[in-house]
Amino acid sequence: MKLWSSLALAGIVATRAVATEVLSPDAIEKDIEEKNLQNVLWNLNHIAENNGGNRAFGLPGYNASLDFVLERVQTRFASEFDTYVQKFTHLFESTRSISVTGPEGENVYVITLQYNTATPLPGGITAELIDTPVDDARGSACFEDQWAGIDATGKIALVRRGVCAIADKLKLAKAHGALAVILYNNVPGDSIGGATLSANNIGLLVPVGVITEEYGKGWKARLAQGEVLKATLVVDSINEPRDSWNIIAETKEGDPNNVVMLGAHLDSVQAGAGVNDDGSGTAGLLELATAFRRYKGFANKVRFAWWGAEESGLIGSLYYGSQLSEAEADRIRFYFNYDMIGSKQPIYAVYADTDAHKSGGSILFDYLQSKGKPVYYGGFGSSSDYVAFLELGIPSSGIFTGAGAPEDACYHQACDNLDNINWEAITLNTKAAGRAAAQLALSLDGIPPREKTSPNPSSRRAIERRLNRAAQLTKVIEKSHSCGGLGDHTV
Ligand SMILES: *[C@@H]1O[C@H](CO)[C@@H](O)[C@H](O)[C@H]1NC(C)=O
Ligand SMILES: [Zn+2]
C-alpha cells in the first residue's frame, strides 16, 4: 500500500466543499465544463508520455493514472466520498521484441499480438515455410479439416488472417506439428491492426508474427512454384502475474441499499495513451464526481468505478462482479458504462436491448435527442465492462461514440492522443451522464429490480447465450468493427 500512503505523506490537504445546494439534473448539467475535461485528458496524455507511451495494465503508466484519480477522489474529495481500492491479479504479457527474417536474409516488417508465446532466444526459430489453403468463407486454417494432408512438423506455417480467432489457428498449427506461424494480413498495406490471443491461451499456442498481405502472398506464390523457403521468427516475450486495481468511490450521502453506479476503464492498450479509449470516460466520471460533491439531498448513493485491465479482457470489472454477494448485487440498482464517449466523428449510441435497460437509458437518449444529436438505441455486445453487470441481471445502459474509422481512426493506436477527441461530444455526453445519474440519485421510480431468472446467472455460458440472442435481435454496439475482422478480442 506504499503507493497510496505516499499521497497522504505528501501533505495534500482535503479541501472541504460546502455542499449546501440541493442536487438536481439541471445543476449537474450546468457544472460540467469542457475545460475541466481537457485538463484531465491533458494529464492522462502527459502520464502516458512520461511512462513509455501508454497507461496499460501491468505497466507504470497505469500506476500513475491510478494515483492521479486517487489524488482527487480519495484525497481532495475525502469529505464527500468513500473510496476503496480493489486489488486483483492477472497474467501480464509484453513482447519486448519481435523480428522475421525472410529467405533472402531480409528483415520483414512484422507486428506481435497480445499474449504471444516466446521463441527460444536469442536465435528464435528457423525453419522451412509450409503453406496452408486460403478459405475466406470459413476462415483459413480455422478447422481441423482444413489441415488435412498438411504435415507441418518442424516447420513454420504460413496462414492467412481472418474470420476465426487467431488463437484457433495457432492451436491447430501446434496440433499439426508446426513450430510457429507467420500470419499474413487479410487487408493490404502495412497498417496492421493488433489483437489479443487472450491470457487463457498461454501455453496452448505456437509463437506468431503478423506480416503484410503483400509479403505473405509473395511467399505463397513462390511456395506454389515448389520453391523451398526458410524464414526465422524471433519473439522475446515475458508473461507473469501482476497486480492491478479498480477504484470504487461512492457518495457518503444516499441510501446504501440503493446505489446508482457509473463505470469507465482507467487502463489503455499498450500501443498508446488511450485518450479516447477510455480517457474520455475516465475524465467524464471525474468531472461528474467533482460536480456531485457540491450538492446534498441524495436519496440514493452514486458510486463511481474506474476499472483496471479492461483491455486485457474486462478483468477488473469481472473481478468486481465476482466478489459481490447476492445482497450487494441487489443493491446496485442501475449501471451506466462510459467507454469511448469522445470519438472524433461520433455516433451517439445508447446501449439498451430491454425495457429495463431503457428505464435508465432513456434519460441519456432523450437528452441527446433534445440537443439535436442522431442518437439511437443499440444492443450490448461483449467488449466492455457492462458484461459483469448484465451477467448479474442489473439494469444497465451507457453511451458509446464509436471505435475504428471513421468514428475513431486512432482506435488502439499511438495516435489516440489529445488530438483524438471531439470536445463537443465528450462534454455533451458527460452532461447526459450527469443528468441520468442525478435523476436516479433522487429517485429510482420506474427502475425494475435485478433480474434473477437466469438458471445460473453467474455462469459465463448463460451470459453468452443471452448476448448471442441480443446480437441476433438487434444491431449490437461493439468497440471494434467486427466486419473489419481486426477487432479487439476476435480475429
Ligand atoms: C505499481 O505500484 C505497485 C504498488 O506500489 C508496485 O508494487 C508495482 O511494482 C508498480 N508497478 C509498476 C509497473 O510500476
Ligand atoms: Zn480499447
Side-chain angles (χ1 to χ4, degrees):
M1 286 288 103
K2 191 164 124 252
L3 190 65
W4 333 127
S5 57
S6 66
L7 289 169
L9 291 177
I12 299 160
V13 179
T15 51
R16 201 171 226 300
V18 193
T20 48
E21 283 180 61
V22 176
L23 177 71
S24 75
D26 286 347
I28 294 292
E29 180 189 341
K30 247 187 247 118
D31 284 353
I32 304 307
E33 290 192 59
E34 182 181 313
K35 69 172 181 1
N36 299 336
L37 296 164
Q38 280 175 345
N39 175 289
V40 172
L41 289 179
W42 183 89
N43 276 286
L44 294 179
N45 190 58
H46 189 67
I47 283 170
E49 281 175 353
N50 287 337
N51 288 281
N54 67 61
R55 302 182 300 105
F57 160 64
L59 294 171
Y62 186 74
N63 276 14
S65 302
L66 200 69
D67 287 350
F68 177 77
V69 172
L70 286 174
E71 187 275 322
R72 299 203 178 194
V73 295
Q74 193 176 52
T75 307
R76 284 197 231 171
F77 306 171
S79 334
E80 300 87 16
F81 283 88
D82 291 317
T83 297
Y84 158 57
V85 178
Q86 183 180 40
K87 177 174 148 178
F88 58 91
T89 302
H90 185 61
L91 197 62
F92 169 84
E93 185 275 342
S94 173
T95 303
R96 288 185 284 213
S97 69
I98 185 166
S99 68
V100 166
T101 310
E104 281 73 44
E106 77 278 30
N107 206 9
V108 179
Y109 176 66
V110 60
I111 71 152
T112 190
L113 299 172
Q114 190 80 55
Y115 296 106
N116 205 349
T117 304
T119 60
L121 294 171
I125 293 166
T126 300
E128 269 181 37
L129 291 168
I130 182 164
D131 197 17
T132 57
V134 167
D135 181 342
D136 282 335
R138 297 168 69 212
S140 308
C142 293
F143 298 96
E144 183 60 45
D145 64 277
Q146 296 168 325
W147 287 81
I150 298 172
D151 183 5
T153 306
K155 298 186 174 159
I156 296 176
L158 186 65
V159 175
R160 182 168 163 85
R161 186 174 187 168
V163 188
C164 72
I166 296 169
D168 292 350
K169 300 177 194 241
L170 304 186
K171 269 181 215 162
L172 284 167
K174 192 177 173 98
H176 288 269
L179 299 176
V181 163
I182 289 182
L183 190 75
Y184 58 100
N185 215 1
N186 55 346
V187 288
D190 56 8
S191 161
I192 307 176
T196 178
L197 300 169
S198 292
N200 51 12
N201 285 318
I202 290 266
L204 305 176
L205 310 179
V206 290
V208 61
V210 191
I211 65 170
T212 64
E213 180 176 49
E214 291 83 349
Y215 229 98
K217 280 186 168 169
W219 285 352
K220 186 178 179 65
R222 290 172 63 185
L223 290 168
Q225 300 291 315
E227 270 192 70
V228 174
L229 302 179
K230 271 193 174 181
T232 300
L233 172 69
V234 185
V235 180
D236 179 1
S237 159
I238 50 158
N239 64 74
E240 64 189 23
R242 289 200 183 171
D243 291 339
S244 198
W245 302 267
N246 297 320
I247 299 173
I248 313 291
E250 67 181 18
T251 55
K252 286 187 191 289
E253 211 192 343
D255 179 358
N257 294 317
N258 288 294
V259 177
V260 181
M261 192 156 177
L262 290 70
H265 71 86
L266 185 54
D267 63 312
S268 72
V269 290
Q270 290 182 9
V275 170
N276 188 34
D277 182 13
D278 184 26
S280 61
T282 290
L285 260 55
L286 260 185
E287 175 68 350
L288 288 175
T290 310
F292 276 102
R293 68 193 280 254
R294 303 191 182 111
Y295 300 96
K296 62 180 176 55
F298 292 71
N300 310 304
K301 276 192 194 289
V302 179
R303 181 180 298 167
F304 296 92
W306 287 270
W307 305 119
E310 189 269 356
E311 298 290 3
S312 305
L314 319 178
I315 306 305
S317 56
L318 288 174
Y319 181 76
Y320 177 83
S322 74
Q323 298 301 300
L324 293 172
S325 67
E326 286 293 307
E328 286 165 336
D330 287 343
R331 292 180 198 130
I332 303 173
R333 298 294 310 281
F334 206 95
Y335 174 71
F336 289 101
N337 198 66
Y338 296 110
D339 185 2
M340 307 184 74
I341 60 168
S343 303
K344 201 85 190 195
Q345 294 185 50
I347 52 168
Y348 289 86
V350 169
Y351 301 108
D353 41 34
T354 66
D355 287 343
H357 302 153
K358 285 183 188 163
S359 69
S362 63
I363 308 168
L364 303 171
F365 186 100
D366 292 347
Y367 177 74
L368 293 171
Q369 193 173 52
S370 78
K371 295 292 170 187
K373 296 303 175 194
V375 58
Y376 68 96
Y377 284 121
F380 288 97
S382 58
S383 62
S384 190
D385 297 304
Y386 48 73
V387 167
F389 296 85
L390 294 178
E391 196 164 334
L392 289 163
I394 294 169
S396 302
S397 187
I399 298 174
F400 172 66
T401 52
E407 295 93 15
D408 177 356
C410 287
Y411 176 59
H412 283 185
Q413 294 176 45
C415 59
D416 186 5
N417 56 29
L418 273 184
D419 295 329
N420 193 42
I421 290 285
N422 180 315
W423 297 104
E424 189 221 342
I426 187 178
T427 307
L428 198 67
N429 288 330
T430 304
K431 286 175 184 278
R435 289 197 72 92
Q439 188 172 321
L440 299 195
L442 294 170
S443 163
L444 288 160
D445 278 0
I447 306 294
R450 183 159 83 91
E451 196 212 312
K452 293 187 250 189
T453 52
S454 160
N456 174 6
S458 58
S459 103
R460 282 284 186 97
R461 234 174 289 141
I463 182 73
E464 270 165 25
R465 270 200 304 274
R466 198 144 22 116
L467 291 172
N468 287 341
R469 232 181 6 250
Q472 284 156 10
L473 289 174
T474 168
K475 181 174 165 23
V476 171
I477 304 169
E478 280 289 359
K479 282 182 74 181
S480 50
H481 286 280
S482 49
C483 54
L486 302 180
D488 204 0
H489 305 294
T490 50
V491 289

